[in-house]
Amino acid sequence: MNSETRTSTTDPSSPSKTGREIVVSELRYNPLTLVGVLLVTGIATVAIVGPLVTPYDPTAQNLANRLQSPSPIHPLGTDRLGRDVLTRLVYGARVSLGIALAVTTIRVVVGTGVGLLAGYVGGWVDELLMRLVDVQLAFPGLVLALVVAGILGPSLRNVMLALAVVGWATYARVVRATVLSVAEREYVEAAKLAGTPTSRIARRHLLPNVLGTVIVLATLNLGTVVLATAGLSFIGLGAQPPAPEWGTMIAGGRDYLRSAWWIVNAPGVAIVLTVLGFNLLGDGLRDVLDPRQRSQLEEI
């Protein structure tokens, strides 16, 4: 009896709890979620506030100060062109998070729309859309993004379009599977028989059931997009010098790994912390919003 009581009080998905109590319970139940919240909040704060308070220009060169080691004046040192690494890191956070949000938003809108349409309409529409999804998923995402970015040409805008094009299919597949399950429930059938418009059924009955899973996938995707953007910029397909972007910072400092280690390590650590934060936050949101989807999401 006591063990059952303890289980019910620590279960973050208990239906008797309010939204705030569920979140507080999850943070107590899984401290790693709190770490993710703190990391994401801290990086977002740096991206928003940092450029407003830094005294340096992220692109201004000062060869007299090149390759200076970390000091009170330059806490993370300077690069090969005398630019303050901390300032470029802060501006790079704004670029990386901005692209991650834009790409993920496009993926969510397109993928959710395709999944809702395929799952609810069915028939030849479902077959056609799912075959398109299968074709897209048949190619490794990063390889396909490389091809698209290479065709469009090197720029951050083209990288954003390339990553958006290759990432929507996962949302479509997950949303369709959920819609197929929900569409067979009695209240949806009753709404159809009552002549409720399709758009209203999708908005009131289908979309709320897929929202939790989509939010979790989107949160996990944010970290993936940050990593992919940095990788494409590192090989020259993304941000172009002198733009302050984490991938280009690593590329610019790879020839100075021994003599000026801070040039590469600073953006490298920033990427690791950002991806880690989004992954931990996504895991926590999965437990809060829909614990039953844990095994399904781990298979994707």
Side-chain angles (χ1 to χ4, degrees), residues 9-298:
T9 56
T10 57
D11 183 6
S13 61
S14 177
S16 62
K17 295 180 179 181
T18 64
R20 181 177 179 181
E21 289 173 338
I22 291 175
V23 173
V24 173
S25 177
E26 168 61 20
L27 294 179
R28 293 178 59 186
Y29 180 73
N30 187 2
L32 290 178
T33 303
L34 179 59
V35 175
V37 172
L38 293 176
L39 284 174
V40 172
T41 302
I43 294 169
T45 302
V46 168
I48 296 171
V49 179
L52 303 178
V53 298
T54 179
Y56 300 104
D57 186 325
T59 61
Q61 302 179 16
N62 186 354
L63 296 180
N65 292 328
R66 65 189 303 268
L67 300 179
Q68 287 191 1
S69 59
S71 65
I73 300 177
H74 300 286
L76 293 180
T78 61
D79 63 9
R80 60 191 178 88
L81 297 177
R83 298 170 297 195
D84 183 68
V85 173
L86 178 58
T87 299
R88 290 179 59 79
L89 195 71
V90 167
Y91 277 86
R94 176 174 289 187
V95 172
S96 296
L97 293 185
I99 291 178
L101 288 173
V103 168
T104 303
T105 299
I106 296 173
R107 288 180 174 183
V108 168
V109 172
V110 174
T112 302
V114 170
L116 284 172
L117 184 62
Y120 187 71
V121 175
W124 67 268
V125 174
D126 182 24
E127 286 294 327
L128 176 61
L129 293 177
M130 286 303 101
R131 296 300 74 77
L132 291 176
V133 168
D134 290 340
V135 169
Q136 198 276 318
L137 292 176
F139 296 92
L142 188 57
V143 174
L144 188 56
L146 280 169
V147 173
V148 175
I151 294 174
L152 296 177
S155 73
L156 277 176
R157 183 188 64 180
N158 292 340
V159 162
M160 183 181 70
L161 292 175
L163 293 175
V165 165
V166 303
W168 60 271
T170 301
Y171 292 91
R173 186 173 65 176
V174 172
V175 169
R176 173 184 176 271
T178 305
V179 169
L180 288 175
S181 175
V182 174
E184 297 177 353
R185 297 179 183 176
E186 291 79 2
Y187 60 86
V188 177
E189 293 293 338
K192 293 179 182 178
L193 294 174
T196 305
T198 301
S199 60
R200 183 180 177 89
I201 293 176
R203 185 174 64 253
R204 296 194 60 181
H205 300 301
L206 302 181
L207 191 57
N209 282 280
V210 305
L211 194 58
T213 302
V214 168
I215 290 175
V216 173
L217 282 174
T219 305
L220 296 172
N221 255 188
L222 287 168
T224 303
V225 174
V226 168
L227 192 60
T229 302
L232 292 173
S233 295
F234 177 81
I235 62 176
L237 292 177
Q240 300 300 301
E245 197 277 332
W246 292 342
T248 58
M249 291 177 65
I250 295 176
R254 58 187 170 184
D255 295 331
Y256 303 92
L257 283 173
R258 294 186 177 181
S259 59
W261 52 266
W262 55 87
I263 301 177
V264 171
N265 285 1
V269 170
I271 293 172
V272 169
L273 293 179
T274 302
V275 176
L276 177 63
F278 281 121
N279 286 345
L280 294 177
L281 179 58
D283 287 340
L285 288 176
R286 177 185 60 192
D287 295 337
V288 170
L289 296 175
D290 197 351
R292 295 171 296 179
Q293 296 291 330
R294 178 193 299 269
S295 60
Q296 297 181 19
L297 290 176
E298 288 176 347

